[in-house]
Amino acid sequence: MNIQQYIESGIIETYVLGLASPSESAEFEQLCAQYPELVAARTKFEEGLEKHALANAEQLSTGVKVKVLEAIEDTASAGAGERVSLNPPKIVTMQNESKKGSSGWLRFVAAASVVLLIGLAWFSYQFYSQNSELQRSNTALQEKLNSTQGTLDKIVQEQSIVKDPNTTVVNMVGTKVAPRSSANVYWDSTNSNVYLVVKNMPKLPSDKQYQLWALIDGEKQPKDLGVFDAKDDKIILKMKDTKKAQAFAITIEKTGGSPSPTLDSMQALGKTLQSQ
Amino acid sequence: MGIPKIYNTEQELVLALKQRENQAFSTLYDNYAGALYSIIKQIITDNNELASDVLQEVFINIYRKIDTYDQTKGRLFTWMLNIARNASIDMLRSKSYQNSQKNQELPDNVYKGTANQSTQLNVDNIGLKKVLEKLKPEHRILMELAYFKGFTHEEIAEMMSIPLGTVKTRIRNALLQLREYLQ
């Protein structure tokens, strides 16, 4: 750029008198930073303009000065007021405002939160206790159902055995030792299955168990058909199989059973049709 | 107020103005109010009361905007001169001024009237307008419209029915002549 040519172009006057476009001004200011001679030329024109303006200044009455300075003071006090509340105090005011404004809001939100929290906690507790209660009752029901189902299954099984035409029912009655004892043996001689239903058998000490025996003709020893407890009352028990039996007998033996019956303690005896 | 404080340099004055020192504004008024009022009156030509109102507004603007004044961009007076010119042109375009100028309702008449007015008012002209008198008439009118009425080059080109390039060239030439007169 030929700076001298630029200086002579009239841009200085355009700029100084406020007639330059924004882009012209930007360019001029940028070039001023680069070219001291441009600044010097600008300053020269500015000084000429100022000198001329001062030389042609209008006389003003002192009343105008008072008015103008009063207006400035009004602006200053208004501005000071503004500044008082704009700078630290205004920040304080704004904080107060925001505190005041949001403190109500915050308080509301806080209160609402607490209420909500309590409500939520209450509901949670309600749901939790309701849930665990339901779980408990559900488990209880399940257990009950299981035992009922088990009982039912056994009854159904018992019924099916009882109703089976091949099944022989042997009614065992109490001996003199235990006159009130009674039990039924369901015996299917075709497949040798033996089932026992305890009707009434007295409770035994924990080291004793009842043992069922099959008395078979021609055999020296009664055949062991397994042990059972008195608490198996009314429930059909699957005992060991036997093809033959003239009679069934129940004795009291030590827990786990004995190889041969203690006949002294025979509690019940039932003869089969094979015995007749 | 005590003893008036003396500001030895413009820089000192500017600093005091930025500190919002009352004395600085009093000094500023004493030094420049007349010159600024002269410019205002060259724009608000026919209403001294409004011109005086504008002067007051100019000083309030100086007080408010002094922090934005950048010495690297020009002298303090140049900055104030532009504030005065802008405030005057704003007043010229304001409703209150328009209402006081009921005779000139049609814009075209305003433009024509402006041109005529400037010729007529040259007799009383002062300040920069006195310098304008020395310009060629076609330059003078353009300067009048651009500087004292605040019209853009485009607006002037339209209202004077001359090409934009011509407007720019003539204003540039007018400004260069102005510089010579001011030297």
Side-chain angles (χ1 to χ4, degrees):
Chain A
M1 152 154 315
N2 186 337
I3 196 67
Q4 207 51 48
Q5 209 177 323
Y6 184 71
I7 288 169
E8 299 297 331
S9 72
I11 183 65
I12 292 172
E13 297 72 25
T14 307
Y15 175 83
V16 168
L17 291 174
L19 296 172
S21 70
S23 63
E24 284 174 329
S25 295
E27 186 192 37
F28 183 81
E29 283 167 14
Q30 202 191 333
L31 289 167
C32 277
Q34 271 177 274
Y35 297 98
E37 57 265 51
L38 182 59
V39 178
R42 184 197 71 196
T43 306
K44 195 180 168 198
F45 177 71
E46 284 188 275
E47 282 170 350
L49 187 67
E50 187 174 333
K51 200 175 147 193
H52 178 85
L54 290 172
N56 291 280
E58 288 234 340
Q59 286 297 314
L60 285 156
S61 63
T62 46
V64 179
K65 182 181 177 179
V66 172
K67 215 175 109 192
V68 167
L69 291 183
E70 270 178 5
I72 286 177
E73 270 188 39
D74 286 351
T75 309
S77 56
E82 255 170 51
R83 243 173 299 147
V84 162
S85 44
L86 257 175
N87 291 338
K90 176 117 187 191
I91 289 165
V92 168
T93 308
M94 287 180 80
Q95 278 176 346
N96 278 344
E97 273 173 13
S98 68
K99 245 189 209 166
K100 203 178 172 186
S102 70
S103 97
W105 172 243
L106 266 180
R107 216 174 286 160
F108 171 76
V109 168
S113 303
V114 169
V115 169
L116 199 68
L117 204 69
I118 291 169
L120 210 66
W122 187 78
F123 274 112
S124 301
Y125 174 74
Q126 285 296 306
F127 284 130
Y128 171 76
S129 56
Q130 201 172 12
N131 184 41
S132 31
E133 202 172 310
L134 279 170
Q135 266 182 343
R136 265 199 305 278
S137 64
N138 192 30
T139 309
L141 276 172
Q142 190 63 50
E143 278 169 11
K144 205 170 174 181
L145 177 68
N146 286 346
S147 80
T148 307
Q149 189 65 48
T151 310
L152 186 65
D153 286 349
K154 281 173 180 171
I155 290 165
V156 168
Q157 197 186 358
E158 189 181 339
Q159 280 296 305
S160 68
I161 294 159
V162 167
K163 284 185 172 176
D164 193 317
N166 295 318
T167 301
T168 307
V169 184
V170 181
N171 189 25
M172 302 179 72
V173 293
T175 60
K176 285 176 186 167
V177 183
R180 296 175 73 178
S181 292
S182 71
N184 281 352
V185 167
Y186 296 85
W187 177 43
D188 186 346
S189 53
T190 54
N191 61 13
S192 312
N193 283 349
V194 176
Y195 299 92
L196 178 77
V197 174
V198 174
K199 281 179 169 174
N200 181 26
M201 299 299 287
K203 279 190 178 175
L204 296 176
S206 59
D207 59 333
K208 301 284 185 187
Q209 269 189 314
Y210 290 108
Q211 193 165 6
L212 182 68
W213 306 90
L215 306 176
I216 303 161
D217 279 351
E219 298 281 329
K220 284 180 187 169
Q221 286 277 340
K223 189 181 179 183
D224 165 41
L225 294 180
V227 294
F228 62 93
D229 295 307
K231 65 179 177 185
D232 294 328
D233 189 29
K234 295 263 181 186
I235 292 167
I236 195 162
L237 300 168
K238 175 91 170 69
M239 306 305 286
K240 292 175 185 172
D241 296 355
T242 184
K243 270 200 168 159
K244 291 177 179 177
Q246 271 68 53
F248 292 98
I250 295 168
T251 60
I252 295 172
E253 305 293 342
K254 63 178 192 278
T255 301
S258 306
S260 58
T262 312
L263 289 171
D264 295 347
S265 67
M266 190 166 75
Q267 303 289 302
L269 181 75
K271 289 178 179 171
T272 69
L273 291 172
Q274 286 179 352
S275 64
Q276 287 152 16
Chain B
M1 271 208 185
I3 302 153
K5 199 172 169 182
I6 308 295
Y7 302 98
N8 292 315
T9 63
E10 191 174 300
Q11 217 156 351
E12 270 182 37
L13 178 62
V14 169
L15 201 69
L17 291 171
K18 289 193 177 184
Q19 300 289 324
R20 302 295 201 286
E21 284 179 21
N22 283 344
Q23 183 57 54
F25 284 92
S26 179
T27 303
L28 192 75
Y29 183 93
D30 291 342
N31 290 347
Y32 296 108
L36 295 174
Y37 186 61
S38 164
I39 288 292
I40 293 164
K41 280 205 68 180
Q42 287 169 64
I43 298 170
I44 315 287
T45 52
D46 50 2
N47 194 323
N48 286 354
E49 202 186 323
L50 284 179
S52 171
D53 286 350
V54 171
L55 181 71
Q56 183 175 315
E57 202 185 310
V58 167
F59 271 88
I60 289 169
N61 279 340
I62 291 167
Y63 180 88
R64 282 187 174 144
K65 296 177 180 173
I66 188 66
D67 286 331
T68 68
Y69 167 62
D70 181 356
Q71 273 183 300
T72 64
K73 289 183 180 174
R75 290 176 63 77
L76 178 64
F77 180 74
T78 305
W79 183 72
M80 295 191 297
L81 184 65
N82 281 314
I83 288 178
R85 174 179 171 254
N86 291 336
S88 304
I89 291 169
D90 284 350
M91 173 60 86
L92 206 60
R93 292 174 176 179
S94 72
K95 274 219 173 120
S96 55
Y97 184 82
Q98 297 291 334
N99 288 343
S100 74
Q101 299 283 304
K102 279 173 185 168
N103 293 336
Q104 303 179 16
E105 277 170 342
L106 296 170
D108 280 1
N109 290 342
V110 171
Y111 301 147
K112 280 176 188 166
T114 300
N116 294 334
Q117 230 177 359
S118 68
T119 327
Q120 285 165 7
L121 288 168
N122 277 346
V123 183
D124 310 303
N125 266 352
I126 40 160
L128 280 178
K129 280 197 175 171
K130 205 154 84 181
V131 178
L132 288 184
E133 274 180 67
K134 294 167 183 169
L135 300 176
K136 289 179 194 168
E138 69 266 31
H139 287 170
R140 190 173 60 219
I141 290 164
L142 295 187
M143 274 303 289
E144 169 74 29
L145 292 173
Y147 190 75
F148 294 104
K149 303 294 176 194
F151 291 113
T152 66
H153 292 179
E154 287 78 4
E155 286 167 335
I156 294 166
E158 202 181 323
M159 72 177 74
M160 301 293 287
S161 301
I162 47 175
L164 180 61
T166 309
V167 172
K168 291 192 173 191
T169 311
R170 283 183 185 176
I171 288 175
R172 283 285 168 98
N173 287 336
L175 287 167
L176 288 170
Q177 287 177 55
L178 182 66
R179 175 164 69 169
E180 278 175 33
Y181 290 127
L182 290 178
Q183 270 173 357

